Amino acid sequence: MLRNRLIDGVRRIKPILCGGQSLRSLSNGATSKLTTIEVDDRSGIATLSMNLPPVNTLTMELMHDLIDSINQIESNKSRGLILTSSNDKVFSAGLDLKEMLNPEVERLRLFWTRFQDLWLALHLCGLPTAAAINGHSPAAGCVLATACEYRVMLPNLFIGIHATRFSFVISKWMMNSYQSVLPRRIVERALNQGKLFATQEALDVGLVDEIACSKDEALSKCAAFIATFDKTNPVARCLTKRMCREPDVRELLQDRAADLKECVDYVTTPLFQEGLCAHLEGLKKRK
């Protein structure tokens, strides 16, 4: 049974007793400082910040550091994980599209595999997770946010998966992640339109759970959500979360090679390459 298969992965998760009242930083072993981790000793909640100027583009290196940081937070027995950005304008601008422009196939395979790994690490994280969205969150930035259990967003921002605007067709697991948060009818229309939701729109449809006036307030609201699990057994909660989410990841886990092949085959088509070139040129003109 799925329950039995998951038990081995969560045996290390135990309640922790927290003393002190300060924030402490954890080293994630990365010399590039692309992510930072701070743990609140009172709550036991770890805040994981993306820290790659200018817009937290998900490069190969940032994704690697995020995976390492998520694993470290889990192994340090934190009570919860809040994902946020050190940038006050952008949560994450999404995948590094330069990796998809006239790519070397083996490099593209590694890049996409790392993105799969990152989503799995966050989506199946045994801890309660929340996103403090303190900047714009398009494309893969939105995918990271939907992989979390709770989302708090600041005003006057946008979030959404607008892949059709640059000729990309997302994978089924990305759609499933979106659809686990939004009704299918809204997902289908938004994906086809390449829609980006303004903060209030995102709240109205359920893409985010709360709006906060500042990053500090967003972090506080995320911490309050994580605190709602204080009376639950961490192992039972983790197993239940993973069973709830298992349908969203089944296709990817059963045949990651097929998803990888579909991505490589599509990214290397003239249709996508022409659309991506036009999109990147448009971005240059807007700067």
Side-chain angles (χ1 to χ4, degrees), residues 154-195:
L154 271 60
N156 304 314
L157 300 174
F158 59 76
I159 183 172
I161 300 176
H162 64 314
T164 53
R165 295 193 188 186
F166 51 93
S167 304
F168 190 59
V169 179
I170 66 171
S171 291
K172 182 68 177 295
W173 53 270
M174 297 168 68
M175 186 190 73
N176 288 343
S177 184
Y178 214 20
Q179 201 163 284
S180 70
V181 176
L182 292 173
R184 175 174 175 173
R185 174 174 172 271
I186 293 177
V187 168
E188 181 176 345
R189 183 179 300 172
L191 287 176
N192 285 321
Q193 292 173 336
K195 182 174 177 60

Side-chain angles (χ1 to χ4, degrees), residues 44 65 70 75 89 93 98 111 193 206 236 247 263 269 280 284 286:
D65 283 9
I70 293 167
S75 66
K89 293 183 179 179
K98 294 191 297 295
F111 179 75
Q193 292 173 336
C263 172
T269 62
L280 293 175
K284 288 180 182 178
R286 287 163 51 188

